Amino acid sequence: MSLRELGCSVVVGVIGQPNVGKTTLFNVLTGSMERVGNFPGTTVEMKVGRRAFGGGVVCFVDLPGIYGLKAVSVDERIARDFILYGDWDVLLVLVDSTLPVETSYLLLQILQLTRRVVVALTKYDEAERLGVEVDADLLRRSLGVPFVRVSALKGAGLSELLAELVRVGGSSGGEPLRIGFGAAESAIERLARVVGGSRARGLAYLILSGDVELGERVGVSRGAAESLKKEILMVSGRDSEELLASTLYNFAREVVQPAVRLLRGAGGERSILLEVFSRPIAGALLSILVLFTAVFTAFTVNTGFPFTALLRVLGFVEAAEVVERYTVSGLVEALFDWVGDSVAEFLGGGFVAEFIAGGVIEGVAIVAQFAPLVFVALAVVSAIEDSGLGPLMAVSLHGLFRRFGLSGRAVYPVLISLGCNVPGVVASRAAVDGVERLSIVASASFIPCQARLIVLLALVGAIIPGDPVLQSLAVLLVYAGGFILYLVTALLFRRFAAGVRGASELVLELPRPHWPSLRVVFWSSWSAARHFIVRAGTILVAFVVIVWILSHTGFSGYTGDPSSSFAFYIGSSIGFVLKPLFDLSCESSWVVGFAVLIGFIAKENIISTIAVVRGVGDVLGGLGLNPVQGASLLIFFMYYIPCAATATTIWMEVRSVKFTLALIGYTAVVSLTLSLIFYRTALLLGV
Amino acid sequence: MARVKLSSIQQGGRVRVVEILLDSKLQTRLINMGLTRGATITVICRNHSSTIIMLNSSSGYGRTIALSKDVAERIIVEAVDPSTENCNGEFQT
Ligand SMILES: Nc1nc2c(ncn2[C@@H]2O[C@H](COP(=O)(O)OP(=O)(O)O)[C@@H](O)[C@H]2O)c(=O)[nH]1
């Protein structure tokens, strides 16, 4: 769909370096974003937000946060192509008022291509707090485009910004900015003449910075570009990319610096957090602690665990029940139980009533219970991101990760996977290079997500009843195991599948740490959770319904007896394999087999499958398993591919069916092997 | 003035970038972040696996970048001579 069809009167491309406050400003300006298909030739979604202003609709297109326009990765290519060939009226370029010189670099690259630009000096409240003043009028005079001081957090400067966008959007903008390049000037000028057009110098700049693809697109052969670059090297003794960038930075210093005034003797603020996180061992331990706290905060808010277990043991059973009832999950469960019962009563028994109460409503109930969990988990993750703690954790864990061939950036997929593996796999895009990215994709699914935590707690509660200390220990062990599998798999993949030795390098900007903003956290987790819940929720409800049908129908139609249902036949074929390995009984083997199959679709369904098939809530009892068998199967359940959605995402990220299937097989073999080792060892030890 | 690897500079050291010996992709990343030849930087933290630097800027709140040891080893720097340093309040701690 074209942006004009959305009723946009002004189309604004929003661009800025990472951390300049783009997401925050985007949210304040537009409230929400819609996905309007992909950027041309990529699988990256284009997100657009709209805002009514002055009788028209201003549409904002969210472009990737990048440091410069030379295309090294997909993100830069998207931004570059949108700026050069996209259908927009004005570009909104963000410059961080607390780092005005550094963050102007991208702006200067853009201004050499077009002056249909409005600049937002972001985080102005923060700059004021730090005693940094930026003279917007002076910048406007020197660079010929409007500069507006804004604070997304305080909502300041937004109307002025919108007015400028509409004004510039309706104008021609004038000639691009002309910057002199000293020793490279002659090469730039000659190349610009070949390229032609008003933005020729800006294009020549990018081509001589090494953007080969762009060169070929505008008719400059690789050889021609190379010989000009060699010429620059001969004349100046410097690499052309480095020379051009230095010149641009010097220009930024000359033009932007004079507009910056320090009200107090600002500077040199030491960050205690930085000091602590960069300690070799303490930093890494602290990061791991933050990870665990994040998961368990999310879980405790939703379920009351482990306080409920503790209260039970201390003998306050009623108190535990009250806590359970008033946690988010408890309330949701109560609501749906009531709805289910009322509906069943209203319809009065029979296939349809049971189908609606046991299948459809149960399915929706599971999603509803799951939703707040995902939301809180995402909120905790975005609080860590927003506060600037994420990059610090990446630095502190780099020492550990590099031993496994990863860079500290590989902590992001871990962090996000603790909430959900689907965005966790997507977060592999934070990787430094292609090999690191693939090794993260290959290993991210070992990190237990919130869905698996539900299964984990249900099973642990059943296996070790009434002992919260042992229960917590078991939960911790499963998490530690997942973390180790993540690292080891990444290493194996790098060494043997990709044949690369040595670790990925780390180059990472560390934003100033600060308290997370509630608004920012709420926005980002809400938009992520909404998207996730709609997508995952639809799949989940569908599967609960399918499981219900499979376990209540057989060759002779509707059946109340599970062992003559279709589920029995499907489950038996997998159970047939598992039966001798774990000494399962005949009745339990088919249910376990069926649960494993369902687990491939979505892990959280393991528990509901057992409940639906057996019609009882007691997991172990429902399966007739002893605790050792239960624990062994738990290990198996925890580490094979978490769900169909993750498998689909893996395929979408790597676009290889072979890779995806191999990975599913690998996780199945690893988890089954580990669980068998556990089972046989326990038997040998006579547990 | 002596040229050394950035990875060998102690915490608090102020140096100027002389040369970057990295493959083109990483070099682009660093250059785009402002780590060009001639840029002055302060090492604000260093441990066995990484070096954290701050690019010096007029506001005194320069961009802070973490570099793994292998990257820092391939950035060649020289000490900043205080007498030639641009003294108009470029950077103070
Ligand atoms: N004080 C202040 N902080 C802001 C403002 N806008 C963004 N931030 C913070 O700057 C950081 C980066 O913001 P974000 O929107 O995620 O930047 P992006 O990477 O450009 O999308 C976050 O920690 C925000 O909380 C603002 O107007 N004022």
Side-chain angles (χ1 to χ4, degrees):
Chain A
M1 193 184 347
S2 100
L3 292 168
R4 308 290 166 188
E5 285 164 33
L6 286 172
C8 307
S9 40
V10 182
V11 175
V12 184
V14 188
I15 188 162
Q17 291 195 339
N19 304 312
V20 291
K22 181 162 62 70
T23 314
T24 315
L25 185 63
F26 206 92
N27 273 310
V28 182
L29 282 173
T30 70
S32 70
M33 322 194 232
E34 296 163 60
R35 286 151 221 269
V36 291
N38 293 345
F39 283 104
T42 68
T43 57
V44 179
E45 285 169 325
M46 188 199 277
K47 285 178 272 177
V48 175
R50 294 192 289 174
R51 164 104 179 206
F53 184 79
V57 177
V58 184
C59 291
F60 295 88
V61 180
D62 188 16
L63 297 170
I66 53 172
Y67 286 101
L69 281 185
K70 175 189 162 187
V72 210
S73 73
V74 182
D75 280 351
E76 285 117 12
R77 196 168 316 128
I78 288 171
R80 182 198 70 188
D81 288 350
F82 187 83
I83 290 173
L84 290 177
Y85 309 109
D87 179 16
W88 50 267
D89 299 309
V90 53
L91 296 174
L92 171 57
V93 184
L94 310 188
V95 167
D96 185 338
S97 357
T98 66
L99 287 173
V101 176
E102 288 92 335
T103 52
S104 296
Y105 175 75
L106 179 65
L107 169 68
L108 293 177
Q109 290 192 336
I110 293 171
L111 287 180
Q112 293 181 80
L113 294 165
T114 175
R115 258 204 270 223
R116 259 191 295 150
V117 166
V118 173
V119 183
L121 290 162
T122 59
K123 307 189 198 171
Y124 208 75
D125 59 305
E126 175 82 351
E128 280 177 336
R129 191 181 71 76
L130 296 171
V132 178
E133 194 182 84
V134 186
D135 186 341
D137 289 331
L138 181 58
L139 287 173
R140 177 194 287 246
R141 283 196 301 276
S142 1
L143 292 171
V145 291
F147 280 71
V148 184
R149 303 197 285 211
V150 300
S151 161
L153 282 192
K154 301 264 184 283
L158 302 180
S159 324
E160 191 190 340
L161 186 66
L162 285 163
E164 288 291 5
L165 286 169
V166 172
R167 187 181 65 76
V168 177
S171 74
S172 65
E175 286 290 300
L177 178 69
R178 197 185 165 94
I179 297 173
F181 283 97
E185 181 59 31
S186 134
I188 291 262
E189 201 38 48
R190 268 179 291 147
L191 187 56
R193 245 177 272 133
V194 175
V195 174
S198 65
R199 51 195 190 187
R201 281 179 64 92
L203 291 171
Y205 172 93
L206 289 175
I207 295 167
L208 291 180
S209 293
D211 199 331
V212 180
E213 190 194 273
L214 177 65
E216 283 171 353
R217 206 138 146 197
V218 297
V220 177
S221 71
R222 190 181 281 250
E226 276 309 314
S227 74
L228 281 172
K229 279 161 71 181
K230 269 207 198 93
E231 184 188 307
I232 294 176
L233 183 66
M234 299 263 279
V235 175
S236 66
R238 292 170 74 170
D239 170 60
S240 67
E241 177 181 20
E242 190 271 324
L243 176 66
L244 294 177
S246 290
T247 314
L248 217 56
Y249 265 105
N250 287 336
F251 187 85
R253 255 170 244 141
E254 274 164 37
V255 175
V256 180
Q257 195 109 290
V260 181
R261 216 153 57 92
L262 298 186
L263 300 181
R264 308 175 227 121
E269 188 183 41
R270 265 223 131 73
S271 159
I272 298 171
L273 281 172
L274 188 63
E275 303 259 323
V276 177
F277 274 97
S278 55
R279 295 259 161 83
I281 293 176
L285 287 179
L286 191 62
S287 293
I288 292 174
L289 190 72
V290 172
L291 287 176
F292 274 106
T293 315
V295 192
F296 287 104
T297 311
F299 208 79
T300 304
V301 171
N302 282 289
T303 64
F305 184 88
F307 300 116
T308 45
L310 200 67
L311 284 170
R312 281 231 159 74
V313 170
L314 295 176
F316 303 112
V317 176
E318 276 172 24
E321 274 165 10
V322 170
V323 173
E324 249 156 37
R325 216 170 306 134
Y326 292 105
T327 55
V328 180
S329 296
L331 289 173
V332 172
E333 195 182 331
L335 176 71
F336 278 93
D337 279 350
W338 177 79
V339 173
D341 289 348
S342 314
V343 170
E345 203 172 303
F346 179 73
L347 295 174
F351 177 77
V352 176
E354 268 195 49
F355 172 71
I356 291 181
V360 181
I361 294 181
E362 175 70 15
V364 177
I366 290 174
V367 175
Q369 267 178 292
F370 193 37
L373 199 56
V374 169
F375 176 74
V376 177
L378 288 170
V380 173
V381 167
S382 64
I384 291 178
E385 273 177 1
D386 183 56
S387 63
L389 221 54
L392 285 176
M393 290 164 66
V395 173
S396 71
L397 288 173
H398 183 71
L400 171 68
F401 280 17
R402 63 194 279 268
R403 287 166 212 273
F404 296 91
L406 295 167
S407 79
R409 280 168 171 260
V411 70
Y412 288 118
V414 174
L415 185 63
I416 297 172
S417 290
L418 289 170
C420 171
N421 295 104
V422 170
V425 168
V426 177
S428 65
R429 293 179 190 173
V432 176
D433 54 46
V435 174
E436 181 177 49
R437 171 143 186 234
L438 282 182
S439 42
I440 292 173
V441 172
S443 39
S445 64
F446 282 116
I447 301 294
C449 60
Q450 297 279 314
R452 271 180 279 177
L453 184 54
I454 298 175
V455 180
L456 176 61
L457 288 179
L459 285 175
V460 164
I463 295 165
I464 330 171
D467 190 341
V469 177
L470 261 188
Q471 285 178 1
S472 307
L473 195 68
V475 171
L476 276 179
L477 274 178
V478 168
Y479 271 83
F483 197 57
I484 292 170
L485 283 173
Y486 172 78
L487 293 176
V488 171
T489 301
L491 181 67
L492 291 177
F493 181 86
R494 193 175 177 84
R495 277 277 163 81
F496 300 109
V500 181
R501 286 183 170 272
S504 297
E505 284 110 342
L506 181 75
V507 174
L508 189 62
E509 179 172 3
L510 303 178
R512 202 173 308 110
H514 61 88
W515 286 105
S517 142
L518 270 185
R519 268 167 87 173
V520 175
V521 169
F522 183 78
W523 280 323
S524 57
S525 36
W526 174 240
S527 59
R530 206 178 42 178
H531 179 60
F532 169 78
I533 289 164
V534 170
R535 204 166 58 172
T538 328
I539 300 175
L540 249 153
V541 173
F543 281 117
V544 172
V545 168
I546 291 170
V547 172
W548 192 90
I549 293 175
L550 285 178
S551 54
H552 287 77
T553 56
F555 291 109
S556 52
Y558 175 71
T559 167
D561 171 20
S563 61
S564 59
S565 66
F566 290 122
F568 175 79
Y569 298 104
I570 301 171
S572 301
S573 52
I574 298 177
F576 178 72
V577 182
L578 297 177
K579 190 169 168 276
L581 296 178
F582 297 101
D583 306 320
L584 300 176
S585 70
C586 278
E587 305 101 79
S588 60
S589 71
W590 76 267
V591 183
V592 173
F594 191 56
V596 168
L597 186 72
I598 293 305
F600 267 116
I601 294 155
K603 277 291 162 64
E604 62 278 18
N605 288 3
I606 287 184
I607 300 295
S608 59
T609 301
I610 297 171
V612 172
V613 173
R614 280 295 181 195
V616 289
D618 171 14
V619 193
L620 281 196
L623 291 177
L625 298 177
N626 66 36
V628 176
Q629 287 171 318
S632 317
L633 284 173
L634 170 63
I635 294 173
F636 180 41
F637 289 156
M638 282 301 116
Y639 299 131
Y640 71 87
I641 208 94
C643 60
T646 302
T648 314
T649 312
I650 290 171
W651 173 76
M652 278 169 59
E653 289 299 304
V654 299
R655 298 273 155 185
S656 156
V657 174
K658 219 169 90 186
F659 181 96
T660 313
L661 289 180
L663 197 59
I664 293 174
Y666 169 78
T667 58
V669 169
V670 168
S671 55
L672 189 60
T673 311
L674 286 177
S675 98
L676 266 179
I677 293 175
F678 178 86
Y679 183 65
R680 292 293 152 192
T681 316
L683 284 192
L684 275 181
L685 295 176
V687 178
Chain B
M1 210 166 291
R3 299 180 163 197
V4 291
K5 293 174 179 171
L6 175 60
S7 56
S8 68
I9 305 293
Q10 295 295 332
Q11 183 162 328
R14 280 171 51 63
V15 290
R16 183 176 295 120
V17 177
V18 178
E19 207 172 357
I20 298 177
L21 308 168
L22 287 161
D23 69 50
S24 79
K25 227 172 163 172
L26 264 181
Q27 168 167 320
T28 300
R29 284 258 296 277
L30 289 175
I31 286 177
N32 281 342
M33 289 171 119
L35 214 78
T36 50
R37 195 152 118 176
T40 1
I41 56 184
T42 306
V43 172
I44 55 174
C45 252
R46 193 186 74 154
N47 65 34
H48 66 296
S49 62
S50 54
T51 297
I52 300 172
I53 57 168
M54 189 190 267
L55 296 182
N56 297 340
S57 79
S58 62
S59 67
Y61 296 99
R63 173 174 276 156
T64 309
I65 306 172
L67 305 168
S68 55
K69 192 173 163 203
D70 17 356
V71 173
E73 265 170 1
R74 280 174 281 162
I75 297 175
I76 308 299
V77 296
E78 64 185 11
V80 173
D81 177 358
S83 63
T84 63
E85 193 173 349
N86 158 2
C87 296
N88 51 11
E90 256 241 0
F91 184 79
Q92 292 131 18
T93 13

